[in-house]
């Protein structure tokens, strides 16, 4: 009896209790939905299968025993070294694992590292050539998308992975939002480029573009900076100075009213004092 | 999860798989390649490196096909050359300064087989019957020929004709040997035959 009641309580609690996500703690709770959207695209979405061949069906039958087994498609855990953010690897990354080179031998640790090459990519919107570290897959993807800008704009952040690509994407979006100012000397080309790429703008609002491609710490510091700018503390000395000036002004106007009251006419004993006179005079 | 759960096998290395050809459209005339609107099918790496990055071509998207009015069934205008490589051969031959080595001591008269041998020494296999000799008889030894030049005409594939600049060098051993002239192939020389002067001036001296 008691145990079932405990179970029920646990069930109820587990339904009501919500674990705090990273967006619920501290200053992160003030991040705008625009950044949450980017974060979702970057970290929550499942990246495309690059290092394994996904199987289509949901179930498969064992040929020997006729047993039905579920198809799992577990992605291989990837290592993202710091260098991944200095190039555009097209979703490839480093794999850490083991190789079984012979049945007679112990398995050997092995790192599978993508073949990197330095090449030039051309960005039409930015009107520049860039020298970047890429893999063959990146070049294939650029070709499949008919251009570097199309590749960046069409690919979600989880597949771009590298910060370089995300920053470039953000810059391209800003450029498009401003109507390609780099082609200001050639209005016809400017219009052509804008018309070619403007479809991508429809999926972002200006605020989302502003918050696109920011790392977690960049986003947090952006929030902190905004907050600081909003309630910037006014130094007390300024407030007091203002009050004093007002007071003095008020006093002056009062003084004018009481101008008729001369000091000499007052009978106060203080006025008779002459601190600079001689001693015996006093 | 244990180490044994991370034993991986290489299924396929996509870097070494041969990639299918990619279509691109030239957006300008390129010598030896094609004209504006021509469609090329190349390996993706070559197309990217040699044409797309320098901006000589664009991707064959439906918009670009419409823009450049590509007609894939357009008959290729037949080239007038006897072979696709003949232009290159002609360029190589016209750059050549052919040194014809002749004796400084024994008397001789210049004959086609002398020229053929000199061509072979320079790395060109030229049959004798394709060589047209200059109209005058050249005989020696005559050291004044050392400072002169003339041209012979070579017929390639019985169709294209190239004029090749020739110079005679007098060869001997020992004390008879002529002193070495540095970069002699770069220095301009007098034409041996006045009628050939205009044509020789046309051939660029590297």
């Amino acid at each position: 009896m008691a145990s079932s009641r405990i179970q029920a309580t646990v069930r109820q609690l587990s339904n009501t209790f919500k674990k705090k996500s990273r967006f619920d703690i501290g200053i992160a709770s003030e991040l705008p939905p625009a950044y949450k959207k980017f974060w979702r695209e970057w970290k929550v979405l499942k990246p495309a299968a690059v290092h394994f061949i996904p199987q289509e069906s949901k179930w498969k039958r064992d040929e020997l025993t006729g047993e039905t087994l579920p198809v799992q498609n577990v992605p291989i855990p990837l290592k993202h070294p710091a260098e991944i953010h200095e190039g555009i690897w097209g979703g490839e990354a480093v794999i850490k694992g083991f190789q079984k080179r012979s049945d007679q031998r112990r398995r050997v640790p092995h790192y599978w590292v993508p073949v990197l090459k330095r090449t030039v990519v051309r960005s039409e919107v930015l009107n520049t050539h860039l020298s970047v570290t890429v893999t063959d897959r990146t070049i294939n993807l650029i070709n499949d998308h008919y251009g570097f800008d199309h590749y960046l704009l069409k690919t979600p952040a989880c597949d771009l992975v590298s910060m370089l690509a995300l920053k470039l994407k953000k810059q391209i979006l800003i450029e498009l939002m401003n109507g390609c100012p780099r082609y200001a000397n050639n209005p016809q080309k400017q219009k052509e480029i804008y018309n070619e790429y403007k479809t991508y703008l429809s999926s972002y609002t200006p605020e989302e573009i502003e918050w696109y491609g920011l790392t977690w710490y960049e986003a947090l510091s952006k929030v902190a900076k905004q907050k600081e700018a909003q309630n910037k503390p006014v130094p007390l000395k300024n407030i007091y100075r203002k009050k004093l000036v007002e007071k003095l002004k008020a006093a002056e106007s009062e003084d004018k009213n009481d101008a008729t009251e001369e000091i000499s006419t007052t009978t106060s004993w203080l006025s008779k004092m002459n601190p600079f006179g001689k001693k015996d005079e006093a | 999860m244990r180490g044994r759960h991370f034993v991986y096998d290489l299924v396929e290395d996509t870097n070494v798989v041969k990639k299918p050809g990619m279509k691109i459209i030239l957006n300008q005339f390129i010598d030896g390649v094609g004209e504006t609107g021509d469609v090329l099918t190349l390996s993706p790496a070559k197309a990217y490196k040699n044409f797309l990055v320098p901006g000589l071509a664009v991707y064959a998207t439906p918009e670009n096909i419409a823009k450049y009015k590509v007609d894939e069934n357009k008959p290729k205008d037949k080239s007038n050359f006897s072979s696709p490589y003949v232009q290159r051969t002609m360029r190589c031959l016209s750059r050549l300064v052919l040194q014809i080595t002749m004796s400084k001591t024994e008397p001789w008269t210049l004959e086609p087989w002398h020229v053929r041998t000199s061509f072979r020494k320079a790395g060109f296999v030229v049959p004798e019957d394709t060589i047209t000799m200059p109209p005058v008889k050249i005989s020696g030894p005559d050291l004044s020929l050392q400072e002169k030049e003339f041209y012979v005409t070579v017929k390639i594939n019985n169709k294209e004709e190239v004029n090749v600049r020739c110079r005679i060098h007098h060869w001997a051993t020992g004390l008879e040997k002529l002193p070495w002239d540095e970069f002699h192939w770069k220095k301009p020389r007098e034409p041996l035959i006045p009628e050939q002067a205009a044509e020789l001036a046309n051939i660029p001296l590297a």
Side-chain angles (χ1 to χ4, degrees):
Chain A
M1 236 359 234
S3 70
S4 78
R5 211 182 305 145
I6 289 169
Q7 274 174 7
T9 321
V10 165
R11 213 178 302 133
Q12 200 190 350
L13 276 177
S14 66
N15 285 339
T16 51
F17 179 75
K18 209 178 151 203
K19 203 188 161 194
K20 277 189 175 176
S21 73
R22 61 163 65 215
F23 283 101
D24 299 329
I25 300 162
I27 195 169
S29 57
E30 288 165 44
L31 282 168
Y35 186 71
K36 278 184 194 168
K37 186 188 163 192
F38 167 69
W39 184 265
R40 207 185 134 66
E41 185 193 321
W42 189 25
K43 297 284 180 184
V44 180
L45 271 185
K46 287 270 169 290
V50 181
H51 293 99
F52 65 101
I53 302 168
Q55 284 169 310
E56 286 295 311
S57 60
K58 216 171 172 188
W59 306 89
K60 71 176 176 193
R61 194 179 287 280
D62 193 316
E63 294 214 341
L64 193 67
T65 59
E67 205 178 350
T68 313
L69 297 166
V71 169
Q72 293 198 358
N73 280 338
V74 181
I76 294 176
L78 300 174
K79 300 258 162 202
H80 293 105
E83 288 80 5
I84 208 168
H85 299 295
E86 287 161 23
I88 302 171
W89 294 9
E92 287 191 57
V94 177
I95 297 171
K96 177 188 167 187
F98 294 94
Q99 265 182 343
K100 186 80 177 162
R101 295 181 187 166
S102 154
D103 287 345
Q104 306 292 319
R105 303 263 177 177
R106 178 78 176 163
R107 59 172 192 251
V108 187
H110 190 79
Y111 283 88
W112 283 268
V113 181
V115 179
L116 302 176
K117 35 185 89 169
R118 183 162 278 275
T119 189
V120 173
V121 293
R122 164 146 181 80
S123 168
E124 286 221 302
V125 177
L126 301 179
N127 194 15
T128 45
H129 289 87
L130 305 161
S131 163
V132 286
T133 312
V134 298
T135 60
D136 273 355
R137 187 181 148 83
T138 319
I139 299 291
N140 287 346
L141 286 170
I142 291 173
N143 286 339
D144 292 347
H145 285 89
Y146 299 131
F148 182 64
D149 303 273
H150 286 291
Y151 163 61
L152 285 188
L153 292 170
K154 240 181 230 174
T155 314
C158 63
D159 284 330
L160 289 176
V161 180
S162 92
M163 274 334 285
L164 174 67
L166 290 175
K167 298 279 178 200
L168 279 174
K169 183 170 177 179
K170 179 181 184 172
Q171 207 176 344
I172 288 170
L173 283 170
I174 290 173
E175 200 80 0
L176 280 175
M177 197 171 61
N178 299 339
C180 308
R182 285 175 196 234
Y183 283 100
N185 54 354
N186 189 350
Q188 196 196 336
K189 180 100 182 168
Q190 189 178 26
K191 207 175 165 189
E192 248 175 54
I193 296 280
Y194 183 74
N195 287 337
E196 192 179 342
Y197 293 97
K198 71 180 174 190
T199 48
Y200 298 109
L201 274 181
S202 60
S203 40
Y204 303 94
T205 62
E207 202 204 351
E208 279 164 16
I209 293 175
E210 194 191 328
W211 287 90
Y212 199 90
L214 296 180
T215 60
W216 181 249
Y217 292 103
E218 278 170 354
L220 288 189
S221 53
K222 188 171 172 137
V223 167
K225 242 178 216 171
Q226 276 185 356
K227 225 171 126 186
E228 203 182 298
Q230 261 176 19
N231 39 25
K232 199 178 170 188
V234 181
L236 283 177
K237 69 170 185 184
N238 290 1
I239 298 170
Y240 290 153
R241 187 186 289 146
K242 215 177 199 176
K243 275 185 185 167
L244 183 67
V245 168
E246 271 169 19
K247 217 183 230 173
L248 287 176
K249 270 183 184 165
E252 205 175 309
S253 56
E254 226 167 78
D255 256 16
K256 272 179 189 167
N257 295 342
D258 309 342
T260 47
E261 287 182 35
E262 285 283 319
I263 296 174
S264 54
T265 57
T266 56
T267 50
S268 166
W269 61 271
L270 203 65
S271 59
K272 287 173 189 163
M273 288 275 284
N274 187 4
F276 304 109
K278 279 177 183 163
K279 255 185 187 170
D280 50 330
E281 225 177 273
Chain B
M1 296 283 268
R2 306 289 298 272
R4 60 172 171 269
H5 298 116
F6 297 95
V7 178
Y8 302 128
D9 259 346
L10 183 69
V11 180
E12 185 192 15
D13 186 354
T14 48
N15 283 342
V16 294
V17 172
K18 188 165 185 187
K19 275 125 199 148
M22 192 176 81
K23 278 186 179 174
I24 53 171
I25 305 170
L26 292 182
N27 62 4
Q28 53 194 276
F29 169 77
I30 302 165
D31 190 21
V33 180
E35 289 171 28
T36 311
D38 278 7
V39 179
L40 308 180
T41 307
L42 296 171
S43 85
K46 273 183 192 162
Y48 184 79
K49 186 179 155 200
N50 299 336
F51 293 97
L52 292 166
V53 168
L56 304 177
V58 291
Y59 290 100
T61 58
E63 298 90 55
N64 281 336
I65 287 174
K67 189 179 163 191
Y68 289 94
K69 299 185 184 72
V70 171
D71 183 12
E72 296 218 26
N73 304 322
K74 190 177 77 180
K76 291 252 175 181
D77 41 340
K78 282 282 243 176
S79 71
N80 298 319
F81 294 106
S82 57
S83 116
Y85 310 109
V86 76
Q87 278 175 300
R88 193 178 64 191
T89 314
M90 283 164 76
R91 267 206 302 277
C92 287
L93 282 176
S94 61
R95 271 204 302 269
L96 183 69
V97 179
L98 187 69
Q99 297 289 327
I100 303 173
T101 309
M102 304 304 287
S103 173
K104 198 186 163 197
T105 49
E106 300 293 323
W108 47 261
T109 307
L110 195 70
E111 280 176 38
W113 68 269
H114 290 122
V115 180
R116 187 197 69 191
T117 314
S118 308
F119 265 121
R120 201 178 61 230
K121 281 169 85 175
F124 294 90
V125 176
V126 181
E128 235 169 88
D129 55 331
T130 62
I131 300 171
T132 312
M133 296 297 286
V136 295
K137 191 180 153 190
I138 301 168
S139 54
D142 178 2
L143 283 181
S144 68
L145 288 176
Q146 193 76 18
E147 296 298 315
K148 301 281 174 61
E149 66 181 7
F150 57 94
Y151 70 76
V152 297
T153 310
V154 177
K155 205 167 195 180
I156 307 167
N157 293 342
N158 217 5
K159 192 167 184 186
E160 290 87 7
E161 290 195 332
V162 204
N163 297 330
V164 183
R165 189 192 296 270
C166 301
R167 288 169 183 181
I168 286 181
H169 175 67
H170 287 84
W171 178 88
T173 53
L175 294 174
E176 302 265 299
K177 197 159 123 186
L178 286 174
W180 169 249
D181 186 9
E182 213 171 45
F183 297 114
H184 57 85
W185 60 89
K186 286 186 179 173
K187 292 174 183 166
R189 293 277 150 90
E190 288 287 303
L192 176 67
I193 307 154
E195 293 90 72
Q196 288 190 349
E199 186 55 41
L200 278 173
N202 272 343
I203 308 172
L205 192 63

